[in-house]
Amino acid sequence: MIRPELLEVLARRALTEDAARPDAVARHHARGGTTAREKVAALADEGSFVEYGRFVTAAQSDKRELDDLLDRTVADGIVGGLATIDGHQVAVLSYDYLVMAGTQGMRGHRKTDRLLDVIERLRLPTVFFAAGGGGRPGDTDIPLVSALDVTTFAAWARLSGKVARIAVVDDNCFAGNAVIAGCADLVVATPRSSLGMGGPAMIAGGGLGDVAAADVGPLEVMTANGCVDVAVDDQDAVDAARALIGYFLGRETAWTAADQVPLREAVPEGERTSYDVEAVVETLADQDTVTVLRPGFAPELVTALGRVEGRTVGFVANDTRHVAGAITADAGDKAARFLQLCDAFGFPVVSLVDTPGMMVGPDAERTGLVRHTSRLLVAGARLSVPLVGVVLRRGYGLGAQAMLGGSTHEPELTIAWPGAHLGAMGLEGAVRLSMRRELEAIADDEERERTVRELTAYAQAHSTALEVARHFEIDDVVDPAETRGLIARVIDAADHAGRLTGSGLPVDTW
């Protein structure tokens, strides 16, 4: 016989499940949504979820009957607790869009703060499904004036560098909910998402007109401006979150690698033909382990997480298909933030260099180029994790130095592939600058350009990777097929020296 008090608990618990609100769930499904409990169940190992605050209701007792609170303010709009993913301990939180559009209630904030405290104590990587409408007015049980003393945002931000935090945005995500996403280490978003610091009501209240929720911060805008790291189809959001959090859960014991021989032909001869450097990253990394981050933002600089012999590794690479692989202001921001992320969590960095240098010109300078590109140098100089530099084809000027932590001797190993050239600036530009007066003295245009070509060829012959290595400005010139093995051995040595623990320093949101 079940005692009455247990029956009451079981009955109340049943009211918190999706099965207790079938009509609301059906409507949510009809618009393409997934419930908070469905998200948690899809992400976590079966039977592993330990929930906090299941029985909490909204602080609105003075204007709602108890039955209404139990029915319509389940868990005060946030489901959260501890779980495992593939046997690894994590935390999972999800705002519940079925409860007042996922808005943040005062008791929901208390629940979140409680979990964030546990997360910090236990150092738990965290996945947070962040979609919702922001702060909720109307929680009248708790006397409020400004509500600016809410501590959730500071507590979440304070975890930066201490635990990995993945945010998923799969619906409208405004105001306080957007801050949860913006403070996270990595953000996954879907086509159903709209991300913004203010939703339609706030926009209208500010006298800025009527804007549909979907038009506030649609996915295509947020991928182009760098606010979203990984864009996926709606049904793939949980899988993407699982893949990203997996990079922070330790070394994989089972891995395979692609044939490395094709790397010998991966880079075209000459300097004017572009190529897909992501294919190089995919080959160097363990098979099926690479996730490219922010591909739509500053595409001239690739940032990606992958694995090498089971260990998580960060890859940065110049993409010559965009502005010839030059480092722009946005590229400087993108790379610097990525290096901070890798350093905080103990991920070695592999830098694949093929750049003519920093972007130049008046238009580029209007973007704050000097400051933004210098961020990459500062971030590289502060790395505590090992850095391996690989010059694929061109390593010119300050851009190449920035990609290598400031100098060819800053990485733990700097190597080059055959056919690579290194120099203080692009070789043709160097010729035109250093020989300007002599070239101006040549009256015939064709003769002048022929002279430039001859002098450039001479400069190239004296700036090959082998010549640079002969003067010991880099450590080695290698068969491209050997590169992966060399990277793995350097990481082994760094691991032996305790260099893969991570700095634990905060990671810049940008």
Side-chain angles (χ1 to χ4, degrees), residues 359-384:
M359 195 67 182
V360 295
D363 289 342
E365 300 304 346
R366 292 187 186 96
T367 66
L369 188 75
V370 171
R371 282 290 202 178
H372 290 284
T373 55
S374 294
R375 292 187 65 214
L376 177 51
L377 285 156
V378 172
R382 295 186 62 182
L383 281 177
S384 62

Side-chain angles (χ1 to χ4, degrees), residues 19 220 297 338 343 345 508:
E220 60 270 20
F297 173 66
F338 182 71
D343 195 55
F345 294 103
D508 189 341

Side-chain angles (χ1 to χ4, degrees), residues 397-408:
L398 288 167
Q401 286 179 281
M403 290 291 294
L404 295 169
S407 158
T408 55

Side-chain angles (χ1 to χ4, degrees), residues 43 90-93 112 115-117 119-120 123-130 152-169 178-188 227 229 240-242 244-249 293 305 337 340-341 344-345 347 504-510:
L43 181 71
V90 300
V92 185
L93 299 94
T112 305
L115 267 170
L116 296 182
D117 179 54
I119 287 165
E120 183 170 14
R123 290 295 195 265
L124 294 175
T126 301
V127 176
F128 207 140
F129 294 90
T152 301
F153 307 119
W156 178 241
R158 197 175 294 119
L159 291 175
S160 180
K162 296 179 180 179
V163 301
R165 299 162 305 140
I166 311 300
V168 181
V169 181
V179 169
I180 295 297
C183 287
D185 297 306
L186 297 169
V187 178
V188 177
C227 284
D229 295 281
R242 183 185 294 108
L244 288 178
I245 205 71
Y247 291 118
F248 300 86
L249 299 180
L293 305 177
L305 292 174
R337 201 269 179 170
Q340 290 180 31
L341 178 72
F345 294 103
F347 301 158
L505 294 173
V507 180
D508 189 341
T509 59
W510 190 235

